[in-house]
């Protein structure tokens, strides 16, 4: 009978946990299991978290002050090595946490093996991801502020520029272009606030939760939290190591940012088409076609629109990842990282690209915009409002204007083309001031209700927006 030969992979990988194991991990499984290829992104945060942990171990007398100093010095040295491009752990390290611990032991000797006292990779990785996100969220908020600043500048230049306003993508009522741009400012303002709110829940320390149940050592969790600038500690160790709500909240807020950018992108794409011709794309932000020499393509907004799917996908991925996970840590959670890293990179790149596009990549075409608002029936509501203001019940006025529009469409006229006799024939309340009332500039100016497109409102909104941006 053939003897059973134990599987011995040729390229063995020495593991930190190898004493419990008789044979090494299969090389393909080692690759499959490893996260070092992407979680190296966390290294600075891992080092910061480990330094705080080492300091706490001395503070509580679990290790000596001398040992703690050696650990901290070694960790700082790894930081330098990494920043100088000299720390490049391979697959054998499995993940960034093992990589750092191993290098630390090489650098400071056996004391390096004390770093992991009273800690698990489960609370460690949770801490790293939170420190990473806390930092990235603040960076994204700065990008949002720059984007808002560009929208504000553009709005200030275009208070009196009119643009057709749409509902159902049908011409509805004319708008101040500034009002249209400020709508995106408001979305970005909510995004900025939302991220600030998410960060409150990101900035809670799970460190000291151990693998899942806490630790037998007399640690001081509030001490590490304080060192790390975190506002509180997780009250429950199981929750501490397995919660990813904060990551889902971030991905959800990130998806909303992308959706806002994508809507603006869609508008820029439409506006730059021959059919709309509301904006001209500058060469610095447009590309040509390899075959059609006349083309100038809006690649920037198209890419932003496209990348929105990617970010929303990451949100979906993490939601599905979490839904069936029993407490506490499960390796599935390793899958949260690429979603977060890619989202952060994508959001920053999209905000930067859109900021450049708005500040220097496009030009509104005032003549074309002015013609567009003068050539339609988007002042029809104002005729009805005119009559209603003179005592005609609105619904009656509305019906009458509907008939006028129908007749105009049949005769090829616009409302402004009707003679005063024709107006009077329609209703005796019409006076010669009807022409002024339906001129596009007046149509916009008249919408002076709070939050409306009236120039006075827009000027006020710009002042408020400026104060909001400079308050932070
Ligand atoms: N690389 C792992 C992750 O990203 C670190 C935590 C590993 N914990 C464990 N119990 N295997 O989730």
């Amino acid at each position: 009978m053939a003897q059973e030969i134990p599987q011995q992979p040729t390229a063995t990988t020495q593991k930190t946990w190898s004493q419990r194991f008789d044979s090494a991990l299969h090389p393909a499984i080692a690759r499959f299991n490893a996260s070092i290829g992407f979680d190296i992104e966390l290294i600075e945060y891992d080092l910061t978290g480990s330094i705080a942990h080492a300091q706490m171990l001395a503070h509580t007398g679990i290790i000596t002050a001398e040992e703690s100093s050696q650990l901290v010095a070694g960790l700082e040295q790894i930081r330098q090595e990494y920043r100088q491009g000299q720390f490049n752990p391979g697959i054998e390290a499995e993940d960034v946490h093992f990589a750092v611990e191993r290098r630390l032991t090489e650098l400071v000797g056996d004391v390096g093996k004390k770093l992991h006292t009273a800690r698990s990779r489960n609370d460690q990785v949770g801490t790293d991801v939170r420190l990473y996100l806390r930092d990235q969220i603040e960076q994204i908020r700065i990008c949002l502020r720059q984007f808002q600043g560009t929208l504000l500048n553009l709005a200030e230049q275009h208070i009196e520029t009119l643009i057709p306003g749409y509902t159902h993508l049908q011409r509805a009522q004319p708008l101040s272009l500034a009002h249209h741009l400020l709508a995106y400012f408001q979305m970005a303002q909510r995004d900025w606030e939302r991220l600030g709110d998410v960060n409150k829940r990101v900035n809670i320390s799970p460190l000291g939760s151990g693998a899942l149940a806490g630790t037998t050592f007399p640690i001081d969790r509030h001490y590490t939290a304080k060192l790390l600038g975190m506002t509180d500690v997780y009250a429950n160790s199981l929750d501490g190591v397995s919660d990813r709500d904060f990551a889902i909240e971030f991905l959800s807020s990130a998806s909303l940012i992308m959706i806002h950018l994508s809507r603006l992108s869609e508008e820029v794409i439409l506006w730059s088409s021959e059919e709309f011709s509301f904006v001209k794309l500058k060469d610095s932000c447009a590309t040509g076609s390899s075959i059609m020499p006349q083309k100038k393509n809006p690649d920037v907004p198209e890419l932003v629109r496209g990348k929105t799917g990617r970010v929303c996908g990451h949100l979906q991925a993490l939601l599905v990842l979490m839904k069936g996970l029993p407490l506490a840590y499960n390796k599935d959670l390793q899958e949260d990282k690429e979603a977060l890293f890619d989202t952060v990179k994508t959001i920053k790149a999209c905000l930067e690209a859109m900021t450049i596009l708005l500040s220097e990549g496009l030009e509104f075409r005032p003549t074309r915009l002015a013609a567009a608002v003068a050539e339609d029936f988007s002042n029809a509501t104002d005729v009805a409002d005119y009559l209603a203001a003179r005592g005609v019940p609105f619904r009656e006025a509305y019906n009458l204007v509907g008939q006028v529009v129908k007749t105009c469409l049949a005769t090829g006229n616009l409302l402004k083309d009707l003679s005063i006799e024709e107006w009077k024939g329609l209703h005796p309340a019409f006076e010669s001031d009807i022409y002024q009332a339906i001129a596009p500039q007046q149509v916009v100016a008249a919408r002076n209700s709070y939050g409306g497109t009236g120039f006075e409102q827009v000027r006020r909104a710009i002042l408020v927006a400026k104060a909001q941006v400079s308050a932070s």
Side-chain angles (χ1 to χ4, degrees):
M1 209 166 74
Q3 218 190 328
E4 210 186 340
I5 304 164
Q7 284 257 312
Q8 277 294 349
T10 42
T12 55
T13 40
Q14 169 70 43
K15 283 289 161 205
T16 305
W17 32 257
S18 63
Q19 297 312 306
R20 154 89 168 72
F21 290 74
D22 294 328
S23 62
L25 210 51
H26 187 290
I29 298 302
R31 281 197 301 278
F32 184 68
N33 197 41
S35 52
I36 188 71
F38 50 86
D39 69 11
I40 190 72
E41 181 101 28
L42 294 174
I43 186 161
E44 296 264 356
Y45 307 98
D46 193 73
L47 292 166
T48 302
S50 287
I51 288 169
H53 180 67
Q55 287 169 337
M56 182 279 291
L57 289 178
H59 175 75
T60 49
I62 298 169
I63 62 173
T64 67
E66 170 56 24
E67 287 171 327
S68 174
S69 307
Q70 282 177 271
L71 292 176
V72 172
L75 291 164
E76 287 297 5
Q77 189 172 336
I78 297 173
R79 200 192 292 280
Q80 290 317 314
E81 289 179 357
Y82 175 72
R83 288 185 181 173
Q84 286 157 11
Q86 292 158 357
F87 183 60
N88 303 299
I91 215 83
E92 72 293 341
E94 185 178 326
D95 62 21
V96 66
H97 324 294
F98 276 154
V100 166
E101 194 180 330
R102 189 174 297 186
R103 180 69 187 136
L104 182 66
T105 306
E106 278 169 21
L107 287 172
V108 303
D110 274 354
V111 67
K113 296 177 185 166
K114 291 200 170 186
L115 176 65
H116 215 52
T117 313
R119 186 177 70 168
S120 151
R121 275 186 303 160
N122 299 349
D123 55 348
Q124 184 179 0
V125 71
T127 307
D128 291 7
V129 172
R130 284 168 179 85
L131 293 176
Y132 163 85
L133 260 191
R134 181 181 74 181
D135 205 10
Q136 297 302 325
I137 283 176
E138 284 316 315
Q139 290 180 28
I140 293 171
R141 290 177 96 211
I142 292 170
C143 298
L144 275 168
R145 279 296 190 231
Q146 283 159 357
F147 173 64
Q148 286 183 292
T150 305
L151 283 167
L152 255 181
N153 275 341
L154 216 49
E156 272 193 298
Q157 291 162 34
H158 290 291
I159 297 173
E160 309 240 342
T161 307
L162 305 189
I163 186 168
Y166 297 83
T167 62
H168 313 270
L169 203 57
Q170 306 285 326
R171 293 269 179 97
Q173 289 166 353
L175 300 169
S176 150
L177 175 53
H179 191 57
H180 196 117
L181 295 166
L182 288 174
Y184 287 103
F185 176 95
Q186 291 299 331
M187 296 177 222
Q189 178 64 20
R190 288 196 296 278
D191 290 331
W192 184 88
E193 286 170 12
R194 203 173 354 253
L195 282 182
D197 192 46
V198 170
N199 231 356
K200 289 182 198 152
R201 282 176 295 282
V202 169
N203 203 19
I204 312 272
S205 174
L207 200 56
S209 296
L212 76 165
T215 172
T216 54
F217 290 94
I219 57 168
D220 185 343
R221 294 187 58 204
H222 291 92
Y223 188 77
T224 37
K226 197 162 167 235
L227 288 178
L228 294 170
M230 299 177 107
T231 53
D232 205 352
V233 300
Y234 271 77
N236 180 297
S237 61
L238 287 169
D239 187 36
V241 289
S242 63
D243 170 36
R244 292 295 181 275
D245 290 3
F246 68 95
I248 291 176
E249 279 193 58
F250 167 71
L251 290 176
S252 159
S253 306
S255 298
L256 280 173
I257 296 176
M258 289 304 296
I259 281 166
H260 295 151
L261 292 181
S262 187
R263 294 183 75 180
L264 176 58
S265 295
E266 172 66 16
E267 297 211 288
V268 172
I269 293 162
L270 286 174
W271 291 345
S272 66
S273 69
E274 194 74 32
E275 284 70 14
F276 279 79
S277 297
F278 291 170
V279 299
K280 197 160 78 192
L281 293 175
K282 297 209 191 149
D283 292 356
S284 60
C285 285
T287 58
S289 150
S290 62
I291 177 170
M292 297 167 283
Q294 85 284 8
K295 295 277 305 266
K296 209 173 189 189
N297 295 328
D299 289 28
V300 172
E302 286 176 314
L303 276 173
V304 170
R305 190 177 56 183
K307 287 174 192 290
T308 302
R310 202 160 127 178
V311 171
C312 296
H314 291 318
L315 168 64
Q316 185 68 10
L318 198 53
L319 284 168
V320 177
L321 185 155
M322 292 303 292
K323 85 173 268 294
L325 287 191
L327 292 180
Y329 178 86
N330 298 271
K331 189 75 170 211
D332 314 43
L333 291 174
Q334 181 164 288
E335 290 289 306
D336 64 354
K337 284 163 209 64
E338 287 158 292
L340 291 172
F341 300 161
D342 186 64
T343 298
V344 164
K345 278 185 202 131
T346 305
I347 292 263
K348 283 181 175 171
C350 289
L351 280 169
E352 185 190 25
M354 286 303 276
T355 303
I356 293 171
L357 180 70
L358 291 183
S359 60
E360 51 187 279
L362 56 78
E363 216 172 82
F364 282 94
R365 304 178 66 184
T367 332
R368 172 66 202 141
L369 286 165
V373 291
E375 281 164 5
D376 58 22
F377 290 92
S378 58
N379 50 5
T381 318
D382 297 78
V383 179
D385 284 354
Y386 179 97
L387 288 178
R390 284 157 183 77
V392 181
F394 180 80
R395 189 55 65 212
E396 201 178 311
Y398 165 91
N399 285 330
L400 188 135
V401 181
Q403 282 167 26
V404 181
V405 170
K406 194 171 169 188
T407 317
C408 282
L409 283 170
T411 57
N413 281 327
L414 290 169
L415 293 170
K416 65 177 178 196
D417 300 326
L418 298 179
S419 68
I420 188 66
E421 291 72 31
E422 285 172 302
W423 282 117
K424 282 194 178 297
L426 288 162
H427 198 286
F430 284 118
E431 302 287 346
S432 58
D433 60 354
I434 180 63
Y435 295 104
Q436 218 248 315
I438 62 170
Q441 208 72 17
Q442 176 56 25
V443 167
V444 173
R447 288 186 165 67
N448 200 27
S449 53
Y450 185 90
T453 191
F455 304 118
E456 207 181 307
Q457 289 300 319
V458 171
R459 289 203 172 83
R460 184 196 53 78
I462 288 177
L463 288 180
V464 175
K466 276 186 173 170
Q468 276 174 318
V469 174
S470 55
S472 62

